Amino acid sequence: MARSMHVRRPATLASLAAELGVSRTTVSNAYNRPDQLSPELRRRVLETARRLGYPGPDPVARSLRTRKAGAVGLLLTENLSYAFRDPAAIGFLEGVALACEDSGQGLLLVPASPEREDVAAVHRAGVDGFIVYSVPDDDPHLAAVLERPVPTVVVDQPELDNVDRVGIDDRAAVTQIAQHLIELGHRRIGVVCMRLARDRNDGFVTVDRQHAAHFHVQRARLEALATAFAAANVDWTTVPVVERFDHNTACGSSAAAQLLDRDPHLTALICTSDILALGALAEARRRGLRVPQDLTITGFDGIPEAERAGLTTVRQPVLEKGRAAGKLLVNAADHTRPRTVTLSTELVIGTSSAAPRMSEERWFGP
């Protein structure tokens, strides 16, 4: 004869309180407000809970009661793996995590592919506020975030009225790179930039597309380069700019190849990220070009890999960006006016930049 199975029903807050002979509020305080109980009473409550299999207060029920999720939402309009693959994103994520730890908040990553417009992940995210990390101004996920009645902090882009923002002065930062190259004597340059809009484009970029870019950080950097080189009598319409939708070293390498195939006599490549610049360095090595004797290459971000490679770049405080964004969001209730935090940057002159080669020098090889 088969033996009947008896499964013990899990203890509830009420049954635990009855077992202990205390109120349900006392049991709840043992988890949520331990300072309200003596250490001995709290220990007794928790030990009895473990013995009876009580898992603790239902977090869903608690959030419904308090209308607080206890978590910050981080919107990434990239695939989730990007947050753990891109060095600048990793540093930023660490900063956000540190701010959440300091405030006792959880962190929920809300990834949204740049090539999909499904905003359901934003609508169903149980968070008390959003940090939006570097998205275009026409992104549907950003619009969905702004429809939610919760505080929002934008990091880098876009700049929005009545929304807190953390970023750097991109124009001033990239102007430092431009001035450095101009002072070295470079006038024949090419540019490799990150994506300018949500539509995929992996090729040369017209001036009109540059001006219409929905990623305003890239737009600002290109405009600053145009202004600086125009002052040095370089017609920006003659400067080749190549865009890459994806952000990895392979894209930096292929973009550099496009530029050098079109004009083998370029003396400098300006890349709007270190990742793209590292790819350009690899392409230069593949072609037997000496950096910086034959070709100067610069980046932007100051990631550890770039500094180890001796890349001339702009170092920005990515970890502090994340920490500052987290602090703004946690303290959002204390302010009624939008706040802007602008962090400083530093030009790092490495071994990848030098004066352009003389015309009589050989292009290939030492």
Side-chain angles (χ1 to χ4, degrees):
M1 179 182 294
R3 192 185 312 178
S4 61
M5 300 294 293
H6 296 281
V7 179
R8 186 176 68 178
R9 301 178 67 180
T12 64
L13 186 145
S15 65
L16 179 58
E19 173 78 13
L20 289 162
V22 299
S23 68
R24 287 182 292 181
T25 299
T26 296
V27 174
S28 178
N29 284 343
Y31 291 90
N32 302 318
R33 303 178 65 190
D35 58 304
Q36 300 296 305
L37 305 182
S38 69
E40 174 58 28
L41 177 55
R42 183 168 187 263
R43 182 190 61 79
R44 190 159 62 92
V45 170
L46 296 180
E47 285 185 354
T48 304
R50 282 193 292 270
R51 178 169 56 82
L52 297 180
Y54 176 62
D58 184 349
V60 175
R62 183 176 182 274
S63 65
L64 290 173
R65 183 174 66 256
T66 63
R67 302 191 68 79
K68 292 290 184 181
V72 169
L74 174 58
L75 178 70
L76 297 163
T77 52
E78 297 286 350
N79 295 317
L80 184 59
S81 60
Y82 183 84
F84 303 96
R85 185 179 69 248
D86 181 83
I90 291 170
F92 170 76
L93 187 59
E94 180 182 358
V96 175
L98 289 171
C100 290
E101 289 174 5
D102 291 343
S103 62
Q105 294 284 309
L107 179 60
L108 174 66
L109 298 184
V110 185
S113 170
E115 297 181 281
R116 292 202 305 265
E117 297 196 1
D118 182 6
V119 298
V122 173
H123 291 151
R124 63 173 175 259
V127 297
D128 298 319
F130 282 96
I131 295 173
V132 177
Y133 182 44
S134 196
V135 305
D137 53 26
D138 63 343
D139 192 280
H141 306 93
L142 171 63
V145 164
L146 297 177
E147 290 172 355
R148 295 278 301 268
V150 294
T152 299
V153 176
V154 170
V155 177
D156 287 339
Q157 55 191 338
E159 295 179 351
L160 300 172
D161 294 335
N162 302 317
V163 177
D164 291 342
R165 179 179 174 270
V166 176
I168 61 173
D169 187 337
D170 285 281
R171 292 177 184 274
V174 84
T175 296
Q176 286 186 297
I177 289 180
Q179 291 297 337
H180 172 60
L181 296 188
I182 289 168
E183 289 169 6
L184 288 174
H186 291 280
R187 298 296 185 274
R188 199 158 185 171
I189 63 167
V191 179
V192 179
C193 72
M194 296 169 66
R195 76 173 70 124
L196 299 178
R198 289 192 295 131
D199 62 303
R200 179 175 286 274
N201 177 57
D202 291 307
F204 290 96
V205 181
T206 65
V207 173
D208 286 344
R209 182 174 175 84
Q210 295 174 42
H211 291 329
H214 288 283
F215 282 91
H216 95 255
V217 165
Q218 296 301 304
R219 184 174 70 238
R221 292 179 188 178
L222 291 174
E223 289 175 352
L225 288 173
T227 299
F229 278 97
N233 297 317
V234 175
D235 181 358
W236 189 253
T237 63
T238 67
V239 174
V241 178
V242 168
E243 176 184 359
R244 282 296 181 265
F245 188 85
D246 294 321
H247 188 229
N248 52 53
T249 55
C251 285
S253 180
S254 65
Q258 274 191 292
L259 288 167
L260 293 171
D261 285 345
R262 172 175 283 195
D263 186 353
H265 300 294
L266 294 175
T267 65
L269 297 183
I270 301 174
C271 304
T272 63
S273 83
D274 285 346
I275 291 294
L276 295 175
L278 290 171
L281 284 171
E283 178 61 20
R285 287 194 297 268
R286 190 186 71 80
R287 291 173 178 248
L289 301 180
R290 302 167 301 172
V291 176
Q293 295 94 329
D294 295 326
L295 184 67
T296 281
I297 297 175
T298 67
F300 197 107
D301 283 330
I303 64 175
E305 292 90 333
E307 296 196 26
R308 287 195 292 269
L311 190 67
T312 292
T313 186
V314 167
R315 181 189 295 128
Q316 60 169 321
V318 291
L319 187 145
E320 286 307 315
K321 267 187 184 180
R323 192 194 293 269
K327 288 182 177 178
L328 281 186
L329 192 65
V330 169
N331 298 320
D334 299 336
H335 298 268
T336 56
R337 294 182 178 180
R339 298 158 294 169
T340 299
V341 175
T342 303
L343 301 172
S344 61
T345 60
E346 176 188 2
L347 176 64
V348 178
I349 299 177
T351 58
S352 71
S353 59
R357 64 192 181 280
M358 301 300 292
S359 59
E360 63 270 16
E361 287 185 351
R362 291 180 58 191
W363 170 247
F364 293 103

